[in-house]
Amino acid sequence: MQCIRRQPKRTVSQENILLEQSRRVAALNGIRLGLKDDKDLKFLLKGSQLLKVKSSSWRKERFYKLQEDCKTIWQESKKVLRSPESQIFSIEDIRDVRSGHKTEGMEKYAKDVPEYRCFSIVFKDQRKNLDLIASSEDDANHWIAGLGKIIAHSNSMNQKQKLQHWIHTCLRKADKNKDNKMSLKELKDFLKEVNIEVDDYHAKKIFQHCDKSKTEALEDDEIEEFYKILTERKEIDSIFQMYSDPEGFMSCQNLVRFLYEIQQEEDAVVAAPALIQRYEPNERAKRGNAMTKDGFLMYLLSDEGNIFNPSHRKVYQDMTQPLSHYLVSSSHNTYLMEDQITGPSSTEAYIRALTKGCRCVELDCWDGPNSEPVIYHGYTLTSKILFSDVIKAIKNYAFKTSPYPVIISLENHCSVDQQKVMAQHMTTILQDMLLVAPVDGNKSQFPSPEQLKGKILVKGKKLSRHEDPINGNNNLEAEDVSDEDEAAEIEDESVKTKVEQKGKSDTLKLAKELSDIVVYCKSVHFEGFDDPNHPRAFYEMSSFSESKALKLAQESGTSFIHHNIRHLSRIYPAGWRTDSSNYSPVDLWNVGCQIVALNFQTAGTEMDVYQGRFQDNGFSGYVLKPEFLRDEQTKFNPKSITEGTWGTKKKLLLKIISGQQLPKVNKSKNSIVDPKVTIEIHGVQQDNNKKQTKVIENNGFNPNWNEEFTFDIEIPALALVRFVVEDFDLSTKNDFIGQYTLPFTSLKQGYRHIHLLTKNGDPYSSSTLFVYINIQDCD
């Protein structure tokens, strides 16, 4: 049995010294954040008691405090054997801080407490919300304002500031005895903390080089020297030297040359002086209109040095074309947080989807108690939420991320009476947002996203087959319409049994009130592609399961494209995907399908590609289809590509140079990642490809690959490029580290940084890949 050596108890004076050191470190980090002497920050550093709310019967007092790094919150826990790490969460993990009763938990369990004392912390991943009650309005305001400021200021830090903050935090963590000095052992612990394995010989060599005072400990300037060695970017130094003078300055003229020749920037003459003013930290260089190595690095780490074209971060496409000419970011069974059979339903799922740019959300509506319709996955054990609560959430979050229209896709299983309640809720809650009549008398084709800004459209059934919703409604009070029951398609024995017991009907009685608010998105069964002599009305749209849609894309690609020029098509996952897995949206985008609905709650390649496509055009949720998918004379077929006006074929030359600050996958101190990079092309069948680098062992801090790859791209307008970093494991499946996906047409050329995303699509604070991109026309 191993004895645990008890740490010697500190004296009062030692405790006071450590407390003073901690205050100094906190003050320094506050200055780094631009929050010097901020009263809210000081309050958070001191900490306070808050009531944590979990249910109507669970409401307990806990102490919460911002740590000295100004990056993490410590929370008191009464659980036995809880690890210290589990009592801490990072500011970077917070998606939102909401005041009042703005989460389901607060709405349900804290209505008895005044809103001004309540706030909630909403996390980026699948973690549950943290609902809290402060003892006073002042305390609540300190927490809400303080967290808001830290998040905003952290986000506005440049990459160099983020790196400096992170490294100094790790240094502080490695300094076990808190003497502000670093021994050789502490240096080795620190290197493991930042994800790099260095053998004893190299660690000692670095240590001795920095230990100018020969005291066997690094302090002050020696630690700064160590920091400089650690953050050296030799690959960038060599690029800089090619364009700089012997004194270490890159003239504006040479920067113009670099931007024009290497980075392929057309406005290099205008851009160069602006980049010097924006990123050069050295005042002397700035006055001389020149750039130092530090300024050059800051430019390459900035938005202008990003692989994603910064001009595509705003809406730049023509938004005045008919709605059917755009791909639309769309969610399947939006209410679900997890799987399709037993998982929870939540209004939070709608908020998350809408803030991720989703523009089409799904509501499965069933009769609920007290004449209030509910939403859940019919025939399953998924929990139920009120229809009215979902409509309120949609109203509050519909246009926070994008001003362009939101489509509510209704799957209606309600009685006529509860359908009337649904219509009333939408009319009274959404008010002017709800579209109830054609825009500008447009009766022959869809209005544009521009015309529909700020509007919510309803997709659903309409009364009477012969009725024209654009030219007016008939006087029927209710009648039978064909039923659409996607839940009944689920491949699960208990679901099949319940569907049989219910005795599924092919028709549903539809209330006039609900029918009247469907204008441009009338749901109909697909009876085949249009007969040119008897075309269907443009506002009639069909939903297809993924297998049906893929069969049509395979067998009748050109016909499907023509159909999707005039009509909207919605695609949904197969019934066997009970685990909420996703299908690839690419083959369906390639035939012009607009509403390709995925399970937004499920991370993976499919969702990465999806978010990659929709980060284009200002993250607006609408991406204009290429000309050849909108042209009524088109002969394009992605399964059989012939000569045509599909754009010039391209050759992509790509060099994976290095990685920076890759996160640890396994949090144990001794676990260091062995990273490798895979480059994937997603597009038409001929373009789909995958290539990978070698594995770099035991270095997630600054791995160097220097490997070149070439890809031929047949249809650039439909291609996406995905970069995936994994921790290689010989015996088991590789662990995911990070990824980044973007449209081929959004690639910037030259030397670029790729800012990696987590598996949930959120950015890491300082994890990057450094690459070189060159695109050439194929002969």
Side-chain angles (χ1 to χ4, degrees):
M1 183 178 160
Q2 190 179 2
C3 292
I4 298 168
R5 195 171 68 188
R6 186 175 292 174
Q7 293 292 318
K9 198 174 178 186
R10 294 189 186 107
T11 65
V12 174
S13 63
Q14 284 175 325
E15 287 289 351
N16 288 338
I17 289 166
L18 288 174
L19 198 61
E20 187 51 41
Q21 277 180 8
S22 178
R23 284 198 194 107
R24 277 206 306 273
V25 170
L28 185 63
N29 285 323
I31 291 166
R32 284 195 185 115
L33 278 170
L35 293 171
K36 185 183 178 183
D37 297 329
D38 183 87
K39 66 178 193 320
D40 295 317
L41 185 71
K42 283 181 176 177
F43 180 88
L44 267 58
L45 285 163
K46 192 176 165 189
S48 76
Q49 296 284 353
L50 296 167
L51 274 178
K52 184 176 177 179
V53 181
K54 279 190 177 178
S55 69
S56 50
S57 59
W58 200 103
R59 201 184 273 187
K60 295 185 181 175
E61 199 168 72
R62 296 285 184 264
F63 188 75
Y64 289 82
K65 178 184 184 299
L66 178 68
Q67 304 221 109
E68 64 182 36
D69 61 3
C70 296
K71 278 177 61 175
T72 48
I73 305 278
W74 180 84
Q75 52 186 337
E76 178 190 12
S77 175
K78 305 285 186 186
K79 282 184 183 172
V80 182
L81 300 177
R82 186 165 180 177
S83 68
E85 289 79 19
S86 65
Q87 289 182 250
I88 292 168
F89 62 86
S90 171
I91 297 286
E92 287 171 10
D93 297 336
I94 299 174
R95 184 179 300 285
D96 196 10
V97 182
R98 297 184 199 153
S99 58
H101 304 143
K102 299 270 173 50
T103 61
E104 279 181 330
M106 281 302 198
E107 191 72 36
K108 279 184 190 171
Y109 311 128
K111 276 291 194 183
D112 58 314
V113 181
E115 282 209 73
Y116 56 75
R117 282 176 50 204
C118 300
F119 68 98
S120 301
I121 294 172
V122 180
F123 294 101
K124 286 177 180 173
D125 49 27
Q126 302 298 324
R127 214 180 320 183
K128 287 180 181 173
N129 298 338
L130 184 55
D131 294 319
L132 300 164
I133 299 169
S135 56
S136 69
E137 183 177 4
D138 277 354
D139 281 13
N141 288 341
H142 279 308
W143 276 102
I144 295 161
L147 289 173
K149 284 179 201 172
I150 297 168
I151 293 165
H153 283 255
S154 295
N155 290 342
S156 65
M157 286 168 91
N158 63 44
Q159 286 297 117
K160 195 169 181 190
Q161 288 169 323
K162 284 179 183 174
L163 175 60
Q164 192 179 26
H165 193 169
W166 176 64
I167 284 184
H168 279 89
T169 300
C170 292
L171 282 167
R172 179 87 178 143
K173 205 169 171 183
D175 181 12
K176 298 293 183 205
N177 59 0
K178 304 295 181 229
D179 62 355
N180 282 342
K181 295 176 185 177
M182 184 175 279
S183 66
L184 178 59
K185 184 185 182 306
E186 286 173 335
L187 179 133
K188 287 199 268 189
D189 286 345
F190 163 78
L191 290 170
K192 284 179 181 170
E193 187 68 39
V194 299
N195 210 0
I196 183 169
E197 181 79 70
V198 177
D199 61 43
D200 287 355
Y201 171 77
H202 282 101
K204 197 165 185 178
K205 202 172 167 186
I206 296 169
F207 186 82
Q208 287 172 344
H209 173 82
C210 297
D211 185 20
K212 307 283 194 243
S213 59
K214 308 294 180 201
T215 57
E216 296 295 310
L218 305 186
E219 49 189 310
D220 301 331
D221 292 346
E222 294 170 340
I223 290 176
E224 286 304 312
E225 175 71 13
F226 170 63
Y227 168 79
K228 278 178 187 166
I229 291 170
L230 199 64
T231 56
E232 202 172 23
R233 296 282 302 271
K234 287 177 181 172
E235 72 277 34
I236 287 176
D237 293 352
S238 61
I239 302 163
F240 182 78
Q241 281 163 13
M242 290 164 63
Y243 291 86
S244 61
D245 61 26
E247 289 185 15
F249 291 102
M250 184 190 285
S251 67
C252 186
Q253 191 178 352
N254 278 352
L255 179 57
V256 168
R257 202 158 59 85
F258 171 77
L259 293 173
Y260 189 74
E261 293 171 3
I262 306 297
Q263 305 294 79
Q264 306 283 307
E265 300 285 7
E266 290 172 11
D267 62 345
V269 175
V270 177
L275 291 175
I276 290 168
Q277 291 306 309
R278 194 171 301 136
Y279 299 114
E280 180 49 57
N282 183 310
E283 285 303 321
R284 182 185 150 211
K286 201 185 274 191
R287 281 195 301 273
N289 206 18
M291 203 174 238
T292 62
K293 193 167 68 178
D294 282 349
F296 186 63
L297 174 59
M298 285 173 77
Y299 149 63
L300 285 173
L301 283 165
S302 75
D303 214 31
E304 282 93 343
N306 200 311
I307 192 171
F308 183 81
N309 189 334
S311 69
H312 292 188
R313 290 197 193 284
K314 54 183 186 293
V315 173
Y316 68 95
Q317 295 176 343
D318 178 6
M319 300 302 280
T320 63
Q321 302 214 17
L323 201 64
S324 54
H325 287 194
Y326 299 84
L327 305 180
V328 184
S329 179
S330 308
S331 156
H332 170 249
N333 287 356
T334 314
Y335 47 89
L336 293 177
M337 298 285 279
E338 295 169 14
D339 66 72
Q340 305 284 311
I341 305 293
T342 59
S345 305
S346 171
T347 55
E348 195 60 49
Y350 286 90
I351 295 168
R352 288 182 183 184
L354 290 166
T355 51
K356 281 185 175 179
C358 179
R359 299 289 85 194
C360 179
V361 293
E362 188 177 357
L363 285 69
D364 284 2
C365 311
W366 299 78
D367 280 357
N370 307 316
S371 301
E372 281 293 341
V374 294
I375 290 173
Y376 84 112
H377 205 191
Y379 317 110
T380 71
L381 300 174
T382 57
S383 63
K384 298 171 184 178
I385 49 177
L386 286 175
F387 177 84
S388 59
D389 286 345
V390 169
I391 298 301
K392 284 174 195 166
I394 292 171
K395 179 193 176 179
N396 291 334
Y397 287 88
F399 304 110
K400 282 193 185 297
T401 300
S402 166
Y404 292 101
V406 167
I407 300 169
I408 291 177
S409 179
L410 291 181
E411 191 175 305
N412 169 24
H413 304 275
C414 292
S415 61
V416 170
D417 285 345
Q418 294 214 12
Q419 288 176 43
K420 290 177 181 177
V421 175
M422 285 164 61
Q424 187 184 0
H425 281 321
M426 284 192 276
T427 308
T428 54
I429 294 167
L430 299 177
Q431 298 179 332
D432 291 347
M433 286 182 182
L434 185 67
L435 187 83
V436 292
V439 176
D440 298 338
N442 196 339
K443 298 179 180 181
S444 59
Q445 65 174 15
F446 281 107
S448 68
E450 191 63 36
Q451 288 174 295
L452 292 167
K453 261 184 173 177
K455 289 294 180 187
I456 294 174
L457 287 67
V458 176
K459 170 199 162 291
K461 291 289 182 180
K462 288 290 287 182
L463 285 173
S464 179
R465 179 175 302 206
H466 309 293
E467 173 217 344
D468 179 353
I470 299 297
N471 291 315
N473 294 306
N474 64 25
N475 295 316
L476 286 169
E477 285 303 315
E479 73 165 17
D480 287 342
V481 293
S482 62
D483 188 19
E484 288 186 354
D485 192 354
E486 289 170 21
E489 297 175 27
I490 293 178
E491 293 182 19
D492 178 84
E493 286 309 313
S494 63
V495 169
K496 284 178 182 173
T497 305
K498 286 180 183 174
V499 171
E500 285 166 13
Q501 286 170 352
K502 182 190 171 217
K504 187 178 173 317
S505 167
D506 290 334
T507 61
L508 170 89
K509 204 168 275 300
L510 181 67
K512 179 180 185 297
E513 291 84 346
L514 194 58
S515 171
D516 284 354
I517 57 177
V518 175
V519 180
Y520 286 118
C521 302
K522 177 186 177 182
S523 295
V524 297
H525 279 296
F526 181 70
E527 306 286 354
F529 295 120
D530 275 359
D531 175 350
N533 301 316
H534 302 94
R536 277 168 37 189
F538 74 90
Y539 50 78
E540 291 188 349
M541 65 174 289
S542 301
S543 291
F544 306 86
S545 71
E546 66 176 273
S547 49
K548 174 83 180 283
L550 287 168
K551 189 168 186 285
L552 288 170
Q554 181 69 40
E555 295 173 0
S556 317
T558 308
S559 298
F560 210 172
I561 288 167
H562 279 274
H563 174 84
N564 289 326
I565 291 169
R566 197 158 173 267
H567 299 280
L568 290 172
S569 292
R570 176 179 164 271
I571 321 298
Y572 59 91
W576 57 266
R577 295 186 183 276
T578 54
D579 58 351
S580 294
S581 61
N582 280 314
Y583 56 100
S584 170
V586 177
D587 285 341
L588 299 160
W589 287 335
N590 290 349
V591 290
C593 295
Q594 304 88 347
I595 301 175
V596 181
L598 293 199
N599 293 304
F600 267 49
Q601 72 273 31
T602 306
T605 305
E606 298 80 13
M607 202 62 214
D608 293 343
V609 168
Y610 206 85
Q611 291 298 83
R613 171 58 74 199
F614 285 106
Q615 72 166 313
D616 194 8
N617 201 31
F619 199 51
S620 62
Y622 285 84
V623 171
L624 186 65
K625 294 192 273 189
E627 174 63 34
F628 56 81
L629 294 182
R630 296 180 275 124
D631 175 12
E632 298 202 351
Q633 306 306 313
T634 191
K635 292 183 169 58
F636 180 73
N637 183 346
K639 298 295 179 187
S640 172
I641 293 167
T642 54
E643 290 300 315
T645 55
W646 330 131
T648 310
K649 296 177 189 176
K650 303 286 182 184
K651 189 176 283 293
L652 172 63
L653 304 166
L654 201 150
K655 186 177 186 182
I656 304 290
I657 302 170
S658 60
Q660 293 76 41
Q661 292 88 59
L662 302 178
K664 280 190 165 204
V665 175
N666 184 333
K667 294 299 178 193
S668 104
K669 188 176 80 175
N670 293 314
S671 172
I672 311 294
V673 300
D674 303 322
K676 69 163 193 168
V677 181
T678 304
I679 307 106
E680 302 169 354
I681 307 294
H682 297 261
V684 296
Q685 206 164 326
Q686 289 96 314
D687 291 343
N688 291 340
N689 206 338
K690 183 190 285 193
K691 296 180 181 181
Q692 58 192 37
T693 66
K694 60 181 178 284
V695 176
I696 302 289
E697 292 188 359
N698 290 326
N699 188 352
F701 184 75
N702 55 4
N704 265 275
W705 288 279
N706 281 310
E707 290 187 62
E708 294 182 358
F709 304 92
T710 306
F711 297 90
D712 291 323
I713 310 292
E714 185 95 17
I715 311 290
L718 298 179
L720 296 109
V721 187
R722 181 171 183 253
F723 298 86
V724 195
V725 188
E726 292 176 309
D727 180 13
F728 177 74
D729 197 311
L730 197 59
S731 55
T732 60
K733 190 170 176 272
N734 295 340
D735 286 319
F736 174 89
I737 293 176
Q739 70 84 32
Y740 189 78
T741 309
L742 75 166
F744 179 86
T745 51
S746 294
L747 280 171
K748 289 291 280 182
Q749 297 192 66
Y751 290 102
R752 302 286 169 180
H753 277 97
I754 298 171
H755 295 260
L756 295 172
L757 305 177
T758 67
K759 70 171 193 281
N760 291 311
D762 298 306
Y764 284 115
S765 65
S766 51
S767 299
T768 52
L769 292 178
F770 186 52
V771 299
Y772 174 76
I773 306 272
N774 184 253
I775 298 168
Q776 299 170 359
D777 291 349
C778 284
D779 299 332

